[in-house]
């Protein structure tokens, strides 16, 4: 329980006797009050350092027990008072921020949509950040303003004042980030239009590109420094505003300490960074003027009109935060502060920046659509220079040049022309069957081959057998049947090969060995007319298979 340290104490009112006191028309035992260390304060509260109760009508407790317990008591830390002017003005601003939130979501959908493929150089989230920060501002403002209603309703200052100023500071940081993202993205949009006709006109790793890479990091460094100087602190002393003496001893030194002053300086650095970014974009992506005066005029002329309003308003935000760090009477951290200064300096610039950005968002087109329009205009200008006249889109439909079928129908028509199923496999099987039939019938003149090139091979002079190898075996030997099956497969795969080289006799394995021995004992280089470029192997099918490395070997 937070202790109440109020200097202006009151003596207990006199009662019927020396041990009696009358508060709010109710008599209490003075001895019990003194025993439990209760003290009577000018704000009509009783407190002993651990508990605090309201004792004015209609919250006066009806009785006090001997153990120091009040019956039907009301704690000091409840919202019992009616709303004041601070809450009334806060509700009005909260409604304005809620309306802005609706239009911000509409603009986010409009400008966040993609109509072109995303580019690595210009990421889509870059143009959405300003709307994300605007949503953050509205959320922080709504929470702070609605919690500020209880600042007036609490008899004893408590948590609502802390929540009110906490989200107010977050709103201030958000509005600076909003202005920064608006200016930064405008420069990115100017660069995108500049490089769209020629993507190689500007490099990404030159001095200009590296400056644009490090500048956002510099800005957010100072913005987060402002956050860490303000937020992580002991906010309990801000609540100690329950009397003028307590406010002067606790709240005033805390609200105007060096950390708040340094935080205002960090916000000023952020504003200067925004101006540097604006100057950088105009310097690189707009025509340059000569002379100091002409450059100033050109800077103001090339800058979008919305920045003419948003930049001074953001400077007002920085100025008011600095004013609060030096003047406590105008600060929202003070419970009974100057409301005119608080709302005009603390909330009015923020709501105006949001309104300007929303109106500008409705007036500007989607960037992808604008880029498409610019490309269409450049294409029309090039066609005009070349003397080309393009017919309108309806011309092909009227003259029947454009088919009425859709893409699915076109694909199905192409599939029907080629043939469904496994056309390549069926074709190979058909050729293999036809080749086997030709060999059985003795017709060797038909060129029905599976390979890509002719696989004809001249008969070797070493061959002594002209009989084709048998393709069927009627015996009972499984080994011989397997050999015949392999020979049949070799004949299909390598047509035109010499059957005698495979031992194509019915004399068993001995004749095969004799044939091989005869070939190896009398080697002879074939003549020129006997050579062939075919890859058909004359080796036995029992040897290792032929290794085909590429289509050039076939």
């Amino acid at each position: 329980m937070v202790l109440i340290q109020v200097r202006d104490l009151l003596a207990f009112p006199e009662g019927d006797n020396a041990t009696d006191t009358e508060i709010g028309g109710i008599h209490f035992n003075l001895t019990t009050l003194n025993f439990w260390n209760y003290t009577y304060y000018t704000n009509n509260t009783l407190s002993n350092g651990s508990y605090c109760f309201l004792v004015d009508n209609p919250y006066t407790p009806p009785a006090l027990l001997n153990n120091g317990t009040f019956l039907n008591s009301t704690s000091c830390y409840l919202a019992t008072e009616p709303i004041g002017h601070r809450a009334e003005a806060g509700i009005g601003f909260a409604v304005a921020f809620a309306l802005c939130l609706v239009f911000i979501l509409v603009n986010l959908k409009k400008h966040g949509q993609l109509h072109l493929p995303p580019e690595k150089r210009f990421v889509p989230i870059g143009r959405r950040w300003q709307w994300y920060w605007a949503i953050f501002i509205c959320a922080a403002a709504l929470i702070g303003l609605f919690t500020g209603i209880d600042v007036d309703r609490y008899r004893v200052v408590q948590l609502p004042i802390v929540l009110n100023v906490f989200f107010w500071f977050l709103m201030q940081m958000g509005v600076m980030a909003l202005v920064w993202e608006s200016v930064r993205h405008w420069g990115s949009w100017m660069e995108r239009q500049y490089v769209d006709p020629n993507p190689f006109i500007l490099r990404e790793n030159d001095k200009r590109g590296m400056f644009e890479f490090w500048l956002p990091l510099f800005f957010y460094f100072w913005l987060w420094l402002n956050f860490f100087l303000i937020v992580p602190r002991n906010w309990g002393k801000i609540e100690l505003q329950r009397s003028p003496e307590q406010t002067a001893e606790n709240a005033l030194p805390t609200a105007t300490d060096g950390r708040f002053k340094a935080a205002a300086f960090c916000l000023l650095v952020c504003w200067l960074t925004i101006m540097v970014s604006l100057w950088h974009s105009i310097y690189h992506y707009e025509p340059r003027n000569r002379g100091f005066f002409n450059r100033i005029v050109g800077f103001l002329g090339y800058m979008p009109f919305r920045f003419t309003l948003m930049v001074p308003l953001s400077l007002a935000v920085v100025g008011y935060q600095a004013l609060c760090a030096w003047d406590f009477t105008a600060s929202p951290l003070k419970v009974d502060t100057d409301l005119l200064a608080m709302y005009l300096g603390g909330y009015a610039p923020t709501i105006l920046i949001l309104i300007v950005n929303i109106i500008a968002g409705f007036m500007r087109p989607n960037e992808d659509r604008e880029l498409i329009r610019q490309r269409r205009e450049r294409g029309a200008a090039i066609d005009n220079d070349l003397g080309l006249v393009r017919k309108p889109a309806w011309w092909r439909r009227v003259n029947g040049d454009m088919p009425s079928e859709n893409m699915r129908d076109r694909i199905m028509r192409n599939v029907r022309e080629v043939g469904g199923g496994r056309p390549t496999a069926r074709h190979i099987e058909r050729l293999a069957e036809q080749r086997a039939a030709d060999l059985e019938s003795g017709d060797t003149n038909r060129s029905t081959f599976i390979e890509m090139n002719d696989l004809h091979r001249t008969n070797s002079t070493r061959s002594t057998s002209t009989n084709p190898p048998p393709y069927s075996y009627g015996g009972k030997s499984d080994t011989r049947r397997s050999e015949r099956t392999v020979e049949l497969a070799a004949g299909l795969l390598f047509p035109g090969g010499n059957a005698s080289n495979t031992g194509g006799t019915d004399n068993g394995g001995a004749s095969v060995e004799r044939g091989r021995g005869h070939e190896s004992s009398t080697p002879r280089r074939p003549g020129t007319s006997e050579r062939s470029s075919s890859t058909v192997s004359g080796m036995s099918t029992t040897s290792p298979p032929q290794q085909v490395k590429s289509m050039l070997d076939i």
Side-chain angles (χ1 to χ4, degrees):
M1 185 64 66
V2 180
L3 300 179
I4 299 180
Q5 302 174 356
V6 183
R7 298 295 182 181
D8 46 345
L9 307 178
L10 292 178
F12 286 105
E14 296 181 359
D16 296 339
N17 49 48
T19 61
D20 182 72
T21 180
E22 183 181 357
I23 301 176
I26 305 298
H27 292 271
F28 298 100
N29 192 327
L30 187 58
T31 304
T32 304
L33 292 174
N34 291 330
F35 179 80
W36 292 104
N37 247 350
Y38 279 104
T39 307
Y40 187 42
Y41 297 95
T42 55
N43 56 357
N44 293 319
T45 60
L46 281 176
S47 176
N48 62 350
S50 298
Y51 301 98
C52 179
F53 304 101
L54 302 179
V55 293
D56 59 333
N57 290 322
Y59 308 108
T60 306
L64 173 64
L65 302 181
N66 292 332
N67 59 0
T69 303
F70 287 94
L71 298 179
N72 296 332
S73 60
T74 303
S75 175
C76 299
Y77 309 109
L78 294 177
T80 58
E81 302 299 316
I83 62 174
H85 297 294
R86 179 170 183 155
E88 293 173 352
I91 293 174
F93 274 92
V95 173
F97 277 105
L99 292 176
C100 288
L101 180 60
V102 176
F103 296 116
I104 287 169
L105 295 176
V106 175
N107 274 286
L108 175 61
K109 183 180 183 301
K110 174 184 177 182
H111 295 280
Q113 281 185 331
L114 297 180
H115 301 278
L116 291 174
E119 304 176 26
K120 183 179 179 181
R121 189 170 182 176
F122 305 101
V123 293
I125 197 174
R127 58 188 179 187
R128 300 171 185 165
W129 267 118
Q130 55 182 318
W131 305 110
Y132 291 155
W133 279 115
I135 295 173
F136 173 82
I137 292 169
C138 292
L142 289 173
I143 296 173
L145 290 170
F146 280 118
T147 56
I149 296 175
D150 287 337
V151 175
D152 293 338
R153 301 192 63 205
Y154 271 66
R155 178 81 60 87
V156 177
V157 181
Q158 192 58 21
L159 185 61
I161 184 65
V162 175
L163 294 177
N164 181 247
V165 297
F166 177 82
F167 285 99
W168 177 77
F169 279 114
L170 292 181
M171 184 191 70
Q172 299 279 290
M173 287 181 279
V175 73
M176 295 302 297
L178 167 63
V179 178
W180 158 257
E181 288 295 338
S182 300
V183 172
R184 181 207 59 79
H185 173 64
W186 176 73
S188 177
W189 167 235
M190 298 298 295
E191 179 187 4
R192 189 180 182 187
Q193 296 178 93
Y194 194 80
V195 303
D196 187 65
N198 183 9
F200 305 101
I201 193 172
L202 291 177
R203 294 186 303 169
E204 296 186 51
N205 57 351
D206 58 353
K207 185 183 296 184
R208 173 203 56 83
M210 297 308 297
F211 183 82
E212 294 178 355
F213 173 79
W214 289 107
L215 194 62
L217 301 178
F218 181 82
F219 173 84
Y220 281 108
F221 168 77
W222 289 98
L223 188 67
W224 285 113
L225 193 59
N226 174 273
F227 173 83
F228 287 114
L229 286 173
I230 291 176
V231 174
R233 64 167 57 243
N234 182 16
W235 291 92
K237 292 186 177 181
I238 301 296
E239 301 177 8
L240 301 179
Q241 302 183 46
R242 295 150 190 167
S243 70
E245 293 82 1
Q246 194 181 53
T247 302
E249 291 180 4
N250 297 280
L252 176 60
T254 303
T256 57
D257 61 359
R259 293 183 61 179
F260 279 110
K261 293 181 174 66
F265 173 76
C266 294
L267 218 61
L268 178 62
V269 176
C270 293
W271 185 84
L272 294 176
T273 307
I274 293 173
M275 297 302 298
V276 171
S277 177
L278 192 59
W279 169 83
H280 172 82
S281 301
I282 294 176
Y283 178 79
H284 285 281
Y285 308 122
E286 296 289 355
R288 301 181 184 181
N289 297 325
R290 296 183 177 272
F292 180 76
F293 180 76
N294 291 334
R295 289 181 180 178
I296 295 177
V297 174
F299 179 82
L300 297 176
Y302 293 133
M303 183 171 58
F305 180 71
R306 67 179 187 275
F307 294 154
T308 308
L309 301 176
M310 294 172 63
V311 170
L313 289 173
S314 61
L315 182 60
V317 171
V318 177
Y320 180 72
Q321 189 172 130
L323 176 65
C324 296
W326 270 272
D327 187 5
F328 184 65
T329 58
S331 174
L333 281 75
K334 193 174 186 295
V335 175
D336 52 347
T337 184
D338 186 356
L339 298 180
L340 184 63
M342 172 184 169
Y343 284 105
L344 286 182
Y347 288 94
T350 302
I351 195 70
L352 290 177
I353 289 174
L354 290 179
I355 292 174
V356 170
N357 205 35
I358 289 171
I359 295 176
F362 281 121
M363 295 178 63
R364 290 182 288 115
N366 181 279
E367 294 179 2
D368 286 353
R369 293 183 179 273
E370 176 64 18
L371 210 60
I372 292 173
R373 186 192 63 82
Q374 294 179 9
R375 292 175 180 178
R376 189 182 298 113
E377 289 183 353
R378 288 198 300 269
I382 294 174
D383 293 342
N384 189 23
D385 294 340
L386 297 176
L388 300 177
V389 179
R390 295 187 180 274
K391 296 181 175 61
W394 54 265
W395 182 268
R396 297 177 62 187
R397 292 193 295 268
V398 171
N399 292 273
D401 295 338
M402 181 177 293
S404 59
E405 58 184 359
N406 53 22
M407 184 58 65
R408 180 183 177 87
D409 297 335
R410 296 181 188 178
I411 295 175
M412 293 302 298
R413 177 168 51 81
N414 294 337
V415 170
R416 286 193 297 270
E417 291 177 358
V418 175
R422 300 181 299 114
T424 304
R426 287 203 307 270
H427 185 60
I428 293 175
E429 293 172 358
R430 185 171 62 253
L431 291 179
E433 293 173 358
Q434 186 176 359
R435 177 62 182 171
D438 293 341
L439 291 176
E440 289 179 358
S441 61
D443 186 4
T444 59
N445 296 325
R446 298 183 61 181
S447 300
T448 55
F449 303 110
I450 302 174
E451 286 77 12
M452 296 176 61
N453 58 347
D454 291 342
L455 298 181
H456 294 287
R457 181 174 180 177
T458 58
N459 294 329
S460 174
T461 58
R462 296 172 294 166
S463 177
T464 59
S465 175
T466 58
N467 297 326
Y471 289 96
S472 63
Y473 176 71
K476 298 182 178 180
S477 175
D478 295 336
T479 304
R480 196 61 182 161
R481 185 180 296 107
S482 299
E483 292 179 358
R484 292 302 185 213
T485 304
V486 173
E487 291 173 0
L488 173 62
L492 292 176
L493 293 176
F494 303 101
N498 194 349
S500 63
N501 294 338
T502 62
T505 63
D506 296 334
N507 296 329
S511 62
V512 175
E513 295 297 330
R514 286 195 300 269
R516 291 178 181 176
H518 176 73
E519 290 177 0
S520 61
S521 61
T522 59
R524 184 180 67 85
R525 178 182 177 88
T528 305
S529 61
E530 299 175 359
R531 298 175 189 174
S532 173
S533 61
S534 174
T535 58
V536 178
S537 175
M539 300 175 63
S540 174
T541 57
T542 59
S543 301
Q546 182 183 8
Q547 300 294 330
V548 180
K549 297 182 180 180
S550 67
M551 295 300 295
L552 298 177
D553 297 333
I554 298 177

